[in-house]
Amino acid sequence: MTVTAPDARAHEYDGTTFRFCSTGCFEEFVRDPKRWIELEPPERKPVPRGTRYTCPMHPEIVRDEPGDCPICGMALEAMGAPADAEDGELTRMRRAFRIAVPLTAAVLAIAMGDMVPGIHVRAWLGDAAFGWAQALLSAPVLFYCGWPFLVRAWRSIGNRRANMWTLIGLGTLAAYGVSLFALLAPSALPHAFREHGGAVPLYFEAAAVIITLVLLGQVLELRARGRTSAALRSLLDLAPPTARRITDDGDDEEVPLDSIRRGDRLRVRPGEKIPVDGTVESGRSSVDESMITGEPIPQDKTDGDTVTGGTVNGTGAFVMSADAVGDETLLARIVDLVAHAQRSRAPIQALADRVSSWFVPAVLIIAGLAFAAWAWLGPSPALAHAVLAAISVLVVACPCALGLATPMSVMVGVGRGANEGVLIRDAESLERFERVDVLLCDKTGTLTEGRPALEAIEPADGFDESTILETVASLEAASEHPLAQAIVEGARERGIEPASVEGFESHTGRGVVGRVDGRDVLVGNARLLDEADVSIEKPTEQAVARRQSAGETVMLVAIDGRSAGLIAVADPVKPSTADAVRALHDAGIRIVMLTGDNARTASAVAARLGIDEVHADALPEDKHAFVEREQAAGRVVAMAGDGVNDAPALARADVGIAMGTGTDVAMESASVTLVRGDLRGIAKAQRLSRLTMRNIRQNLWFAFIYNAAGVPVAAGVLYPLTGWLLSPMFAAAAMSLSSVSVIANALRLRHTDL
């Protein structure tokens, strides 16, 4: 069976209703299906690509065409909404990595084979083949796979901005150059620098390994950056590709969304997405605005009410006037906020570049001084000693361990977090999480379950709970309202099945009426009962006020013209939320609730949980602005949410935290996702951040200690005392030892207790 779904409307087939998202992808079964279905999604609408490009590490760099950042050498990213295609830079890096891995493995097998007992690679191949095999296998790794790095290193020198690429370029070229020199002119090497048996030392494998590891880091980083772009594409998909415009003759015409102009009259049918922001002119319906407010309960709309583009119309139909189109719509502004917030982030790799700004010149100066000292004062052959001393300094200072220090700890730390249900996007999130001192959180779906549930039944005199629940559930079973479904589910959990209903009527904004087992039943607000001349008893009025002050939604019940009591529905707080709030308070974090819900409900939930501060009726722009105000006050802000309405704040916050039970847009905009939707994961994530950042600092310390000790030794400071010079072979061994230390230290994170 094939089902085609061009929009978000529900489709019915053989008694089963299916619902699809705007791109035609399967969203959910409204009723339990008995068969599989195959989908034919419609052609995806084009997504515009930004015409200007900027550097994610240096946002002040803006160019009209793609290229590399003149400061750090990183590839520039398109500003604005990205194209729905894999980033070209990621494709190139992934292809280069796939080529480099087998070639580097082969070089290592040849170079290190003699270390395995019983293996004699050099003897089997002969000295000439042994050297040239390594040279030929490592050449494409360095000069093809690593060519972009060499170009960036050259530009960093030309721009006089030393960075990681400067270190990588110098280190790999030095390792390959000295090896090629030794291979081409072995007689020029002093005997003291030869290995046992007179063989010349080769370091081709060092150059190949460095390039391969750097390529791996680039692939991981570009993939993370690509996922942030997917958030913008998901946001754009919320808007329907077309709208139904009413012509001057009163006819309907389906037109592309970008052809809508302010003042156009549009028809919105049941189940359709509202195309643009506007005002209802005629008709009435309920609209699911959860993408904006985060609240699951649809809002009733009638003449004069405003509607927002991208929200979903319910069962009614209406005609609206377009007030904001194109870049003026709320959805477009959300996309712009997310894009701007993502571009404003500074990656953790900036730390390595800051260190490199003084480390690279220092290494170059030491290498130059070593060359001059040996050429002037060194024993014969002085020039050869001078060249090799300078090369040894560059080899021992090669940034292999420096490059591994951060990614190894991050890879292990992120894997450890995943085992605990905490998904962390990148190293930047770990770095910032360590310093978080204020947590902003949405209410619905974050602190609460995110779906209404039956809370309580309070009967009036002469009625009992079972009678009221059975009667109300029977009537509400004919309604599609989320509150009605909560009541029906609550009744079924108590073993009550709905009875048959006659004369069912829904009164928008007031409630529902009908006959259940021959009795006239009304369920709704006070206005509905007033219209039916039903008086509400004093105890019931007091119960209504009490439960509304507690943040519950209350529906009054009347049976046969008499007030029968009330039934209350609420969004229950997650069982783990109270423990999570206490743990975060113990960690010294201030907690602020930002919610689109009303102040009464928000305050009730906050008081129950002990939350420090509450801001209700908050729109996406309000949440984004609150994050900026907290950051301007010098605070490090984490934002936890689960809806589209939270996406701008999640992207702008120092650390965005999404519930795994929430929307894809929220998860793509956030840097941390709690798979189980449990706030206790935030406390775990913060501890993981502290442990990982401490591990990174230890790794950097290891890397620099080896360099600090190895560089002067390679330059020959021990020669006057011991007569011993550090061979480039030992320089490479020291470099490898620093890498082993970094890797071993990073692996300790696998066994940390969160």
Side-chain angles (χ1 to χ4, degrees), residues 369-416:
L369 291 174
F371 179 88
W374 279 98
W376 182 32
L377 303 173
S380 179
L383 185 60
H385 283 93
V387 171
L388 292 177
I391 292 298
S392 294
V393 170
L394 292 176
V395 171
V396 81
C398 187
C400 187
L402 182 62
L404 281 173
T406 295
M408 277 304 301
S409 296
V410 170
M411 289 171 63
V412 179
V414 167
R416 181 69 183 90

Side-chain angles (χ1 to χ4, degrees), residues 52-119:
R52 308 198 77 191
Y53 298 82
T54 185
C55 173
M57 190 177 295
H58 300 94
E60 68 274 16
I61 300 299
V62 178
R63 296 288 184 267
D64 292 328
E65 56 187 29
D68 294 333
C69 174
I71 298 177
C72 64
M74 299 297 296
L76 300 180
E77 291 183 346
M79 300 174 64
D84 186 19
E86 183 176 278
D87 180 66
E89 184 76 3
L90 174 58
T91 301
R92 289 190 292 272
M93 291 295 175
R94 183 182 287 135
R95 180 172 60 245
F97 178 68
R98 290 172 177 170
I99 294 172
V101 167
L103 293 174
T104 301
V107 174
L108 283 173
I110 295 173
M112 305 298 180
D114 286 350
M115 297 182 180
V116 179
I119 303 297

